[in-house]
Amino acid sequence: MKFKFINTLASAKVYVEATLKGNSNFDKLWEENMIKPYWSEISQWAPFDCSFMKPKPIKDIEALKKQLDIFADIDFEELAAEFTRISSELVKQDDDEMVIAFYPLDDENSTVKNLQNGVIGANVFGNILININTLAKDFDKWIPYVMAHEYHHSVWGHNWYVLRGAAKGDLLEYLINEGQADAFACSLYSFLEPKWLSPLTNSEDERLWRKYSLVLDSTDRSVQERYMFGDKSLEIPWCAGYYFGYEIIKSFLKNNPVIGFDKLINIDSDKILSGSSYSRML
């Protein structure tokens, strides 16, 4: 797997220096230093404008300075070796070079800092964004996990969108996609315990799954966002969709122990659900 790392540390330092000299136009400075030099390469395969995925400006400069001091100590050679290991565990049938860009993440994002260990990722049509708050506890342990999760998305997306052209875009597929990505990452980093996969009680699991079963075929993005990330008005806990996706995949693999991730990625989401314990609850 050919890949290229983009480390935005130097550009972030230029951004900080400009603000310390009195330039308070954060949005413009961020765009000039952190987005323009990299975004065309990161989003090179996107069939439509993905500006909504651009990393957001960080305006707490004092916190950012502290972040960058720690960011400078990240061993990217070690991460590159780890990414090589990750990609060897699940081969992507693609000759194009993959770009993985590393950005600092705003310390004011308390959800990511406290519940996601300061590291989140995004897949930009095959390329990967890794956003890191180095002020979060144990952030360094979670960078490889997020790389593995997003790499799986890249492989899954290439398989179902490019090679097959058969992605459905419904909520069930979304659940299964995320569930596979977390199961793959967990298989490589079993010593980590993602908070977004925390178990529900049996009664809570059954109550919520009845709700999910009514909208599994929805392609409405707003519906999918609520059921994936949580919605207080619907009494859906934070990231419950990730929990269900992961549990479905765990159940399917338990029932089909000879199937590995290389085979799993080719199985239709409906078949995965029907082969799990959650099918009897529909």
Side-chain angles (χ1 to χ4, degrees):
M1 177 75 223
K2 295 182 295 183
F3 65 91
K4 172 186 176 181
F5 275 10
I6 292 177
N7 181 356
T8 62
L9 175 62
S11 294
K13 287 183 176 180
V14 173
Y15 168 78
V16 167
E17 287 301 315
T19 64
L20 294 177
K21 291 178 180 178
N23 191 333
S24 60
N25 192 335
F26 296 108
D27 292 336
K28 183 179 179 181
L29 284 174
W30 185 268
E31 180 71 23
E32 290 178 349
N33 292 283
M34 301 298 290
I35 303 300
K36 283 184 179 180
Y38 312 112
W39 191 249
S40 61
E41 188 172 11
I42 294 169
S43 62
Q44 61 187 313
W45 312 119
F48 53 80
D49 183 21
C50 287
S51 295
F52 66 96
M53 300 183 75
K54 292 178 180 178
K56 305 300 182 185
I58 298 175
K59 300 179 181 180
D60 185 342
I61 302 304
E62 289 305 311
L64 179 56
K65 286 168 60 180
K66 295 175 183 177
Q67 288 176 292
L68 296 182
D69 286 342
I70 303 170
F71 201 100
D73 292 331
I74 296 175
D75 189 337
F76 283 97
E77 288 188 6
E78 184 177 303
L79 285 179
E82 189 63 16
F83 189 81
T84 298
R85 183 177 82 89
I86 291 168
S87 60
S88 70
E89 294 292 328
L90 181 65
V91 177
K92 184 177 183 181
Q93 303 299 327
D94 185 12
D95 293 329
D96 291 324
E97 181 180 67
M98 182 183 293
V99 175
I100 304 101
F102 297 85
Y103 275 79
L105 180 69
D106 199 335
D107 188 54
E108 292 184 2
N109 191 328
S110 59
T111 298
V112 174
K113 183 176 184 178
N114 299 322
L115 298 178
Q116 294 172 269
N117 310 96
V119 187
I120 56 171
N123 201 271
V124 189
F125 285 89
N127 291 329
I128 296 172
L129 280 171
I130 305 292
N131 303 276
I132 306 167
N133 180 357
T134 57
L135 299 181
K137 182 181 178 181
D138 295 330
F139 77 90
D140 52 324
K141 296 179 181 179
W142 288 86
I143 297 175
Y145 182 101
V146 176
M147 288 197 306
H149 182 107
E150 296 303 328
Y151 173 74
H152 189 283
H153 280 327
S154 181
V155 180
W156 188 97
H158 184 73
N159 184 40
W160 284 95
Y161 283 98
V162 179
L163 300 182
R164 294 170 176 263
K168 299 174 183 176
D170 58 20
L171 176 60
L172 175 59
E173 187 177 70
Y174 196 168
L175 294 174
I176 296 301
N177 187 355
E178 294 295 347
Q180 287 195 49
D182 271 319
F184 176 67
C186 284
S187 74
L188 298 175
Y189 306 102
S190 58
F191 57 91
L192 297 176
E193 297 181 358
K195 292 184 177 68
W196 56 92
L197 302 180
S198 297
L200 300 175
T201 64
N202 289 338
S203 60
E204 186 74 351
D205 181 294
E206 292 179 9
R207 180 187 71 81
L208 283 170
W209 184 244
R210 284 194 291 271
K211 287 188 175 186
Y212 277 74
S213 65
L214 300 175
V215 293
L216 290 177
D217 62 349
S218 176
T219 56
D220 185 319
R221 195 65 183 178
S222 64
V223 171
Q224 293 183 1
E225 293 293 310
R226 293 197 293 272
Y227 279 80
M228 285 304 302
F229 297 99
D231 188 310
K232 289 183 179 179
S233 67
L234 296 175
E235 297 183 325
I236 297 174
W238 174 72
C239 281
Y242 286 79
Y243 161 82
F244 280 116
Y246 179 64
E247 290 298 320
I248 291 169
I249 295 300
K250 276 205 313 181
S251 175
F252 179 86
L253 291 177
K254 182 179 180 180
N255 294 337
N256 301 272
V258 299
I259 294 179
F261 289 105
D262 57 335
K263 300 292 190 301
L264 182 65
I265 206 165
N266 292 309
I267 303 176
D268 181 87
S269 56
D270 289 312
K271 290 182 179 179
I272 291 176
L273 178 60
S274 65
S276 77
S277 62
Y278 282 83
S279 62
R280 60 182 171 79
M281 300 169 65
L282 294 176

